């Protein structure tokens, strides 16, 4: 059991379920419309093909489009601030990511009782992440200065170790006293190489892979880099009660799942 003082959360497919369809919405119709409207692509098909090509390489749409611009692949100049605002303004948050009251209850309790640094780190733009947190009812849990978007770590991004280290440095935290909640195996593995404790959020439903399938990054709960596995955060207190005492203990299987099997 390890003493901790910092807990980091990914946003997409972690603070809301991959099966919600929100990642497909954001990475499909919304980003394609942005690329047609703002970058001069002539069709959704050509926009999506390029976006997916660079997303697979860099795991971040913002970083990918920055590199695509440098390589002369975009009809018009890309401005990352426009992407951040476009996603914040055009994603249908109300439809796909409503407040999850059970999740909110656990995170409120953790915030009020545990005296931990709670922060968000996402490969998406910060303005979008803040809007997503607001829709989920979590903006009082994660104040703006505790939300780290991809532009806060560029030119690095997850799963690069430097990206995680930049966030830890900004928080005044160290890996061995930090826990990261993630849906991405590549990010989990990067955290583990740094010494960060890891929790894989794995909904475990067929067809609910979100961004993972495109990235060849599907969950592997048995991987040695995974310290604990949760289906979602609705059972956070029963599955990881030590967090409330600023302690983290690896668990091979969710206690909630074990109870169901009895």
């Amino acid at each position: 059991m390890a003493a901790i003082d910092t807990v980091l959360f990914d946003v997409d497919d972690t603070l809301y379920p991959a099966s919600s369809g929100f990642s497909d919405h954001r990475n499909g119709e919304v980003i394609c419309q942005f690329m047609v409207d703002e970058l001069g692509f002539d069709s959704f098909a050509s926009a999506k093909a390029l976006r997916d090509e660079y997303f697979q390489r860099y795991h971040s749409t913002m970083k990918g489009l920055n590199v695509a611009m440098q390589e002369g692949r975009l009809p018009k100049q890309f401005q990352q601030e426009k992407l951040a605002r476009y996603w914040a303004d055009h994603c249908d948050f109300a439809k796909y990511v409503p407040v999850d009251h059970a999740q909110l209850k656990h995170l409120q309790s953790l915030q009020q009782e545990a005296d931990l640094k709670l922060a968000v780190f996402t490969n998406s733009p910060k303005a979008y992440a803040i809007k997503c947190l607001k829709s989920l009812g979590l903006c009082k849990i994660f104040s703006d200065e505790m939300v780290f978007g991809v532009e806060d770590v560029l030119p690095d991004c997850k799963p690069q170790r430097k990206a995680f280290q930049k966030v830890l440095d900004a928080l005044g935290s160290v890996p061995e006293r930090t826990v990261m909640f993630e849906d991405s195996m590549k990010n989990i593995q990067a955290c583990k190489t740094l010494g960060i404790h890891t929790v894989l959020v794995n909904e475990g439903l067929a067809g609910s892979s979100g961004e993972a399938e495109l990235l060849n990054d599907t969950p592997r709960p048995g991987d040695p880099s995974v310290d604990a596995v949760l289906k979602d955060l609705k059972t956070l207190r029963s599955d990881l009660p030590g967090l409330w005492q600023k302690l983290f203990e690896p668990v091979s299987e969710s206690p909630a799942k074990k109870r169901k099997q009895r």
Side-chain angles (χ1 to χ4, degrees):
M1 189 173 290
I4 61 166
D5 57 27
T6 304
V7 183
L8 298 176
F9 297 87
D10 178 41
V11 176
D12 297 312
D13 300 332
T14 296
L15 291 179
Y16 61 81
S19 61
S20 69
F22 189 50
S23 286
D24 292 337
H25 162 69
R26 182 185 72 259
N27 293 325
E29 60 194 274
V30 180
I31 188 59
C32 289
Q33 191 66 61
F34 169 80
M35 293 172 73
V36 168
D37 291 347
E38 301 291 339
L39 299 181
F41 282 79
D42 59 7
S43 70
F44 273 28
S46 61
K48 192 172 192 312
L50 183 132
R51 182 267 172 189
D52 287 355
E53 174 190 341
Y54 280 85
F55 187 71
Q56 287 173 321
R57 284 166 60 182
Y58 297 106
H59 295 230
S60 165
T61 298
M62 182 175 281
K63 180 172 181 177
L65 290 178
N66 272 317
V67 175
M69 179 178 66
Q70 294 165 9
E71 295 179 351
R73 298 286 303 279
L74 304 182
K76 294 182 181 179
Q77 185 171 355
F78 170 61
Q79 297 179 31
Q80 60 188 40
E81 298 82 5
K82 286 188 175 182
L83 174 62
R85 182 45 52 196
Y86 196 93
W87 262 348
D89 291 343
H90 291 82
C91 287
D92 194 343
F93 296 93
K95 177 180 178 180
Y96 291 101
V97 285
V99 176
D100 183 330
H101 292 283
Q103 173 177 265
L104 176 59
K105 178 181 177 181
H106 284 293
L107 291 177
Q108 283 178 328
S109 172
L110 190 63
Q111 178 192 45
Q112 294 165 4
E113 299 176 33
D115 190 30
L116 291 164
K117 288 181 277 189
L118 303 180
V120 158
F121 177 31
T122 174
N123 263 356
S124 294
K126 181 170 181 171
Y128 155 81
I130 290 172
K131 188 74 174 285
C132 195
L133 293 170
K134 182 177 180 180
S135 183
L136 290 164
L138 300 176
C139 56
K140 291 185 179 180
I141 307 294
F142 304 105
S143 58
D144 289 2
E145 62 269 21
M146 300 299 277
V147 178
F148 296 86
V150 67
E151 58 266 63
D152 293 312
V153 298
L154 285 174
D156 303 302
C157 69
K158 297 191 287 185
Q160 292 172 284
R161 288 167 48 120
K162 285 184 179 179
F164 291 99
Q165 191 61 59
K166 286 177 181 178
V167 172
L168 293 179
D169 290 346
L171 291 170
S173 301
V174 295
E176 58 269 22
R177 295 180 66 88
T178 301
V179 179
M180 180 81 200
F181 286 73
E182 265 283 358
D183 68 294
S184 161
M185 282 304 306
K186 292 177 182 179
N187 294 342
I188 288 277
Q189 290 166 341
C191 286
K192 183 52 64 176
T193 64
L194 275 170
I196 298 172
H197 307 288
T198 61
V199 180
L200 174 65
V201 180
N202 176 26
E203 194 175 1
L205 299 178
S208 63
S209 57
E211 298 177 336
E213 188 172 356
L214 178 64
L215 295 172
N216 190 27
D217 194 23
T218 51
R220 298 193 300 277
D223 190 278
S225 62
V226 176
D227 291 322
V229 182
L230 270 66
K231 178 182 176 183
D232 51 46
L233 301 187
K234 297 177 183 179
T235 57
L236 183 59
R237 188 155 200 161
S238 59
D239 287 357
L240 295 172
L243 294 180
W244 274 256
Q245 284 74 51
K246 302 179 74 171
L247 297 169
F248 180 78
E249 182 176 13
V251 290
S252 59
E253 189 175 37
S254 158
K257 183 175 180 181
K258 288 181 178 180
R259 288 193 295 272
K260 285 185 179 180
Q261 292 175 339
R262 289 174 185 162

